[in-house]
Amino acid sequence: MRPLKELVRPNIWELSPYSSARDEYKGVTATVFLDANESPYNTPFNRYPDPLQLEVKAQLEKLKGVPQASIFLGNGSDEAIDLVFRVFCNPGKDNVVAIEPTYGMYAVCADINDVAYRRVPLDKDFQMDADALLAATDENTKVIFLCSPNNPTGNVLHRAQIVKLLTGFSGIVVLDEAYADFSSAPSFRKELDAYPNLIILNTFSKAWASAGIRLGMAFASPEIVALFNKVKYPYNVNILTQKAALDLMNKRHELNDWRNRILHERATLMANFKLLPCCKHVYPTDANFFLAKMDNATKIYDYLIRQGIVVRNRSKIMLCDDCLRITIGTPQENTSLLRALRQYSV
Ligand SMILES: *Cc1c(COP(=O)(O)O)cnc(C)c1O
């Protein structure tokens, strides 16, 4: 890895961050707070939230096996993705490299930040060729984006290829593990110490069943997390979200239960999907969704909409011709989908 200072935008490296009232007061036990121009009347939201979300991170440290100094929390993973661009990529000059197809937010954030986005196609099994990604980099490539299990393909990327990039690329590697809770493949969280250029993304939006609270996690070296904290909005995670996250982590047996039910339903739904005359192929998955090649995906998508069922039409995406992406729902929802498709087929 190149020295962090060479990878970070000079203005960010030099930045003196905003210092909030709650940043400046630390440690002492105080009872009278007249420092932040808050209202004294307890709504109960009159106080600003903890800018560093330390209570949430203390729980996450145990749960994820990552020290607090290596945890960043944001307004969804999307905030962390945007921060990667704002911290590392000089607009109009630097570029990033990513697998294709993958999660659409990386390219959108690149466009917003005026950073060139280089797409390297996966192979027909949706696996990546680390050498092809390395060949797409140049001296202005700051970041490589990977997603495993990948969205929309559902598969995990081969571990050896990921390691090859982590060791062979001198910039930052972002590994989005939003769906890792549904996979039997081990997370790279345990490898953070070995790879100082690794940023892992996780989210409360999928397995934690809490897309509505907007809470995303990034795990990285304390130096990278410190850079994210310097650039983020001072109070980027609100009190309601922090409270909801603490409550969720206290009932995590339910998480296991939901995950097991989703995995069970996934197997049933995929087995039935393969039998549908309108389905040509079901791709293997390690996520809470799967990709299916259909006999005319757009026609089937429109038909399902008329039945009040919404799936994701991915047929315009590279390597996903005629593919629908199906999220695993409740047994009732999955049955409704199958029933509609059986009627379509006859
Ligand atoms: C759903 C998803 C996320 C989650 O984003 P949030 O902003 O945390 O809701 C992140 N990455 C991928 C690949 C996803 O599919």
Side-chain angles (χ1 to χ4, degrees), residues 31-42:
T31 49
V32 180
F33 288 98
L34 304 176
D35 58 341
N37 299 346
E38 298 153 331
S39 167
Y41 302 110
N42 189 0

Side-chain angles (χ1 to χ4, degrees), residues 76-78 103 106 147 151 176 178-179 203 205-206 214-216:
S77 321
D78 292 344
Y103 185 45
Y106 317 140
C147 183
N151 179 3
D176 190 339
Y179 300 98
T203 179
S205 296
K206 308 291 158 58
R214 307 309 300 131
L215 188 59

